[in-house]
């Protein structure tokens, strides 16, 4: 493994999480919100965001991926779907990073069939330079350059998701 570099430190992440939480509270005043986390990378972001929000937040998880051995295979595989109904609910998809946009756009189509009242997208990170499918991100933590980032949920081939900061390997 090469040298680990810090791209976004813990303090910056926490400050941004406070801001994002405030925005969400303002947009969903008095409403329950379903946080739909995409496993596994969204777990730390989901918790850190949810605990800053006064609304009642319901946790749901879905698992789908196109990555294998740190490479984008281009084929999305569904591993786990939502168990409970989200019909009539206000859903925010919680993602670690939006790269090509394929995962989110696929998921948005999939969720439509479940008739939620609304669906928005929150992501900790976004790589706009890699976008293949244009999509609207409602809550975006940080834009990052085209680097393979790890930590705060993001993995290096399943490892190092527990780093408390966003880093990259040189
Ligand atoms: P998309 O469908 O938007 O291309 O891909 C999103 C998924 O790709 C993310 O949920 C994440 O699992 C993976 N991914 C994309 N870029 C990175 C990266 O820089 N680091 C890590 N660890 N995963 C990434």
């Amino acid at each position: 493994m090469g040298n680990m570099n810090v791209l976004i430190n813990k303090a910056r992440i926490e400050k941004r999480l406070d801001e994002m939480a405030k925005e969400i509270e303002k947009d969903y005043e008095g409403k329950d919100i379903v946080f739909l986390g995409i496993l596994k990378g969204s777990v730390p972001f989901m918790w850190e965001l949810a605990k800053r929000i006064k609304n009642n937040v319901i946790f749901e998880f879905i698992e789908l991926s196109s990555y294998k051995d740190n490479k984008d295979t281009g084929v999305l595989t569904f591993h786990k779907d939502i168990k409970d109904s989200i019909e009539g609910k206000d859903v925010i998809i919680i993602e670690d990073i939006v790269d090509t946009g394929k995962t989110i756009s696929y998921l948005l189509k999939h969720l439509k069939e479940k008739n939620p009242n609304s669906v928005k997208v929150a992501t900790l990170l976004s790589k706009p330079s890699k976008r293949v499918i244009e999509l609207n991100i409602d809550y975006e933590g940080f834009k990052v350059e085209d680097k393979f980032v790890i930590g705060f949920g993001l993995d290096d081939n399943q490892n190092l998701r527990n780093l408390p900061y966003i880093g990259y390997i040189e």
Side-chain angles (χ1 to χ4, degrees):
M1 194 169 95
N3 275 336
M4 175 73 72
N5 299 283
V6 179
L7 188 65
I8 309 166
N9 69 27
K10 196 164 165 263
R12 272 185 73 201
I13 298 171
E14 283 170 357
K15 182 166 172 274
R16 188 72 190 107
L17 284 165
D18 288 341
E19 293 167 358
M20 292 173 90
K22 277 214 184 75
E23 241 183 282
I24 292 171
E25 272 187 355
K26 208 178 87 209
D27 294 349
Y28 290 84
E29 232 186 293
K31 287 183 183 160
D32 292 350
I33 313 168
V34 175
F35 268 23
L36 176 58
I38 306 179
L39 291 170
K40 305 168 189 159
S42 69
V43 169
F45 173 49
M46 181 154 158
W47 165 237
E48 290 295 329
L49 191 60
K51 77 179 188 190
R52 289 169 162 82
I53 293 173
K54 286 187 203 83
N55 303 54
N56 174 36
V57 177
I58 296 146
F59 282 13
E60 289 290 351
F61 292 98
I62 207 159
E63 188 168 16
L64 73 173
S65 63
S66 62
Y67 267 70
K68 202 170 184 286
D69 302 328
N70 279 358
K71 284 190 193 79
D72 189 351
T73 61
V75 184
L76 276 164
T77 322
F78 231 100
H79 308 293
K80 185 205 173 295
D81 202 353
I82 311 165
K83 208 174 72 201
D84 297 326
S85 168
I86 55 161
E87 192 168 338
K89 304 250 168 90
D90 294 298
V91 178
I92 304 181
I93 297 171
I94 306 288
E95 176 63 305
D96 52 2
I97 186 165
V98 180
D99 188 36
T100 62
K102 284 180 194 167
T103 305
I104 297 291
S105 73
Y106 177 86
L107 192 52
L108 285 169
K109 279 195 207 106
H110 176 76
L111 292 181
K112 250 196 182 145
E113 293 160 22
K114 298 179 185 285
N115 298 314
N117 182 52
S118 67
V119 181
K120 286 194 184 187
V121 177
T123 186
L124 179 61
L125 306 175
S126 172
K127 272 187 209 168
S129 65
K130 293 274 296 292
R131 205 77 87 244
V132 173
I133 302 170
E134 273 322 307
L135 49 92
N136 182 51
I137 298 174
D138 302 281
Y139 309 101
E140 183 184 273
F142 301 91
K143 284 186 177 36
V144 294
E145 301 166 42
D146 184 13
K147 279 194 174 93
F148 193 80
V149 289
I150 46 184
F152 222 92
L154 291 131
D155 70 312
D156 176 19
N157 210 357
Q158 299 304 331
N159 299 301
L160 297 173
R161 292 190 194 271
N162 60 316
L163 288 182
Y165 58 87
I166 305 289
Y168 65 96
I169 298 167
E170 203 121 57

